Amino acid sequence: MTLAVTFLAFALLVSAPIRIHAFVALLLIYSVGFLIFNRHQLAMTRQDWLVVLLLSLYMLSHLPVFVMSGFSTRYLAPGLHMMGIIPIYLMLRVALAELSLVRFRAVLEYGGFVGSLGGAGIAVYEVYLLGQSRVDGFLFHINFGYLSASLFFLMVALLPSTQRRALVGAGALLALLATLLSTSRGAVFAIPIVFTVLLVWQWRRIGAVYLVVGLLGLGGLALASYLTLPQVEERVDLTVSEVERILEGDFRHNSAGGRVRLWAAAIEAFKERPLVGLTYAERDALNLELAGTGIINEWVATISRGHAHSQYFETLATGGVIGVVALFFYLIFPALYFLRRSHQEPDNPYWFVGFVFSLGFIVFCLSEVALQHEMIATYYAFVMALLFVLACKDSERSA
């Protein structure tokens, strides 16, 4: 059942109206029954307890504002979805010896390819046949862009160690096309950032010459996208214009400038209650007080819940120091752990895949509150837990 859910999670991620956490919920129910039936085989290690804690931190860090808000479940919903992965992780750990890396690898690659193909198909249909300026699919266009980019990073990370190079390479190109046509700037700009990190990280292995070639190739891809895709050209030109206006102090009718103002509002919310932050209602009230003061403008005061358009600033405002510490461990720490293990075990491909996938989300969260969306939180936690288990299985096999 885990294989089927994994395939569907990738294959239907952006290409179907069915939310993938519906399939994960079925796997959750199955895993609870599995753990009850096999409870005598469940021997928790310190590593297991750490994973359980990491999957719980989002929810735990929002308990203070949950109480202060009068017990509004909107504060806990994303965290509870992440916690729903705990039984699935524990089931996989119990069944570790029986897991087939060959079958899971095939599911990752075929599922990623089908999902990339579906995303690219929707993007081409909406842009070139319907004439839309941005791709929504069955999601808001920003989420479509982030999720398509996550498929791109997954396929690229699988490429060096795959035996299906044509399939995985085609999947990467299709996911890249879907990401570019989404015109989601946070997703598009994540691509050069992640690739630059990877090239700099691996420069000793690939050599200085290939590092320069890789950076030039990355620049060539960016230029080609700008010249051949009008949607990309328009968004790049708009971004340059907005940045120029921000530097001149003009934040009016400016999406990027609006984000800067929202971040400023989030900092003010943090100052009001640094330990746990403010509730959404308190942030709305604070923004109304601050509107037109020079700190934020009137537009920011109209944004519901003071939505900060950044996981980091949003957590700072509603979560405070406790939330930021939790965010480090559920978002940054996994990437650092995967990176460290990839250095220690360069022949284990799943540590590398986990690092690239998690690095993508670190960058996505710079410009969007990606994990506040329940489906994306579920997807992130499920894939991270799965890649961790597969990496452990590969390490065990190689020992």
Side-chain angles (χ1 to χ4, degrees):
M1 187 174 184
T2 307
L3 289 167
V5 169
T6 301
F7 176 82
L8 292 171
F10 291 119
L12 303 181
L13 183 64
V14 295
S15 58
I18 305 173
R19 297 292 182 261
I20 61 102
H21 51 304
F23 301 110
V24 175
L26 293 176
L27 184 59
L28 168 61
I29 296 171
Y30 175 82
S31 65
V32 170
F34 177 92
L35 290 172
I36 292 173
F37 186 77
N38 297 277
R39 59 188 177 277
H40 299 300
Q41 298 182 43
L42 180 60
M44 296 287 289
T45 66
R46 286 185 297 178
Q47 182 173 264
D48 293 333
W49 283 116
L50 177 60
V51 173
V52 169
L53 177 62
L54 295 181
L55 291 171
S56 304
L57 281 177
Y58 194 119
M59 190 279 295
L60 293 175
S61 65
H62 283 74
L63 283 176
V65 287
F66 165 69
V67 174
M68 290 186 298
S69 69
F71 306 100
S72 173
T73 57
R74 69 169 57 180
Y75 298 93
L76 302 186
L80 289 173
H81 279 73
M82 292 178 72
M83 287 186 69
I85 306 301
I86 292 174
I88 298 173
Y89 164 76
L90 294 177
M91 175 188 68
L92 293 174
R93 288 292 287 160
V94 170
L96 185 64
E98 301 174 9
L99 293 182
S100 170
L101 284 176
V102 173
R103 295 174 68 186
F104 267 101
R105 180 69 185 227
V107 164
L108 287 175
E109 294 178 354
Y110 282 110
F113 173 78
V114 173
S116 300
L117 178 62
I122 288 174
V124 170
Y125 173 74
E126 292 192 354
V127 171
Y128 293 107
L129 295 181
L130 297 184
Q132 296 179 193
S133 59
R134 54 182 56 177
V135 181
D136 290 317
F138 302 100
L139 301 159
F140 186 57
H141 82 277
I142 292 176
N143 295 330
F144 180 92
Y146 290 134
L147 294 176
S148 295
S150 77
L151 286 176
F152 172 66
F153 291 138
L154 178 74
M155 301 305 278
V156 167
L158 289 169
L159 193 57
S161 57
T162 186
Q163 296 180 347
R164 306 178 185 87
R165 289 190 178 275
L167 180 84
V168 176
L173 291 175
L174 289 167
L176 175 62
L177 177 63
T179 304
L180 294 175
L181 291 179
S182 76
T183 70
S184 173
R185 288 182 289 186
V188 172
F189 292 154
I191 293 172
I193 294 173
V194 170
F195 268 81
T196 300
V197 171
L198 293 179
L199 287 171
V200 172
W201 169 39
Q202 294 288 348
W203 80 270
R204 291 184 181 276
R205 177 180 297 180
I206 66 177
V209 173
Y210 286 105
L211 173 63
V212 173
V213 171
L215 291 173
L216 290 174
L218 190 60
L221 175 63
L223 181 60
S225 300
Y226 179 81
L227 294 175
T228 59
L229 296 174
Q231 296 81 9
V232 174
E233 179 184 3
E234 179 184 345
R235 296 296 278 176
V236 171
D237 290 347
L238 176 63
T239 301
V240 172
S241 173
E242 289 181 346
V243 171
E244 290 176 346
R245 289 164 56 195
I246 290 173
L247 295 176
E248 295 170 356
D250 181 5
F251 294 89
R252 295 170 299 172
H253 309 294
N254 186 331
S255 177
R259 276 175 165 77
V260 174
R261 291 299 198 187
L262 288 168
W263 297 346
I267 293 173
E268 294 303 313
F270 171 74
K271 291 178 181 178
E272 291 290 313
R273 192 182 292 134
L275 185 60
V276 297
L278 302 182
T279 65
Y280 296 142
E282 290 172 329
R283 287 171 63 185
D284 281 338
L286 176 63
N287 288 349
L288 286 173
E289 293 177 12
L290 295 173
T293 62
I295 298 175
I296 65 174
N297 55 17
E298 288 79 2
W299 174 80
V300 173
T302 68
I303 301 300
S304 177
R305 305 192 309 273
H307 185 76
H309 277 285
S310 167
Q311 190 80 40
Y312 304 96
F313 284 100
E314 181 70 18
T315 302
L316 191 71
T318 298
V321 172
I322 292 176
V324 170
V325 171
L327 179 144
F328 171 82
F329 282 102
Y330 64 71
L331 185 61
I332 310 297
F333 176 78
L336 296 176
Y337 183 82
F338 277 114
L339 176 62
R340 176 173 172 269
R341 294 299 298 269
S342 184
H343 272 298
Q344 293 173 339
E345 301 177 48
D347 294 330
N348 185 331
Y350 298 101
W351 296 124
F352 176 72
V353 176
F355 170 67
V356 175
F357 184 85
S358 57
L359 178 61
F361 268 87
I362 289 173
V363 180
F364 299 154
C365 288
L366 290 172
S367 59
E368 188 53 54
V369 195
L371 299 181
Q372 198 173 65
H373 192 296
E374 288 90 344
M375 189 267 273
I376 299 180
T378 302
Y379 168 68
Y380 169 76
F382 174 69
V383 176
M384 292 295 285
L386 178 64
L387 291 175
F388 177 73
V389 171
L390 295 178
C392 290
K393 172 65 176 181
D394 195 86
S395 296
E396 181 185 81
R397 185 187 63 174
S398 303

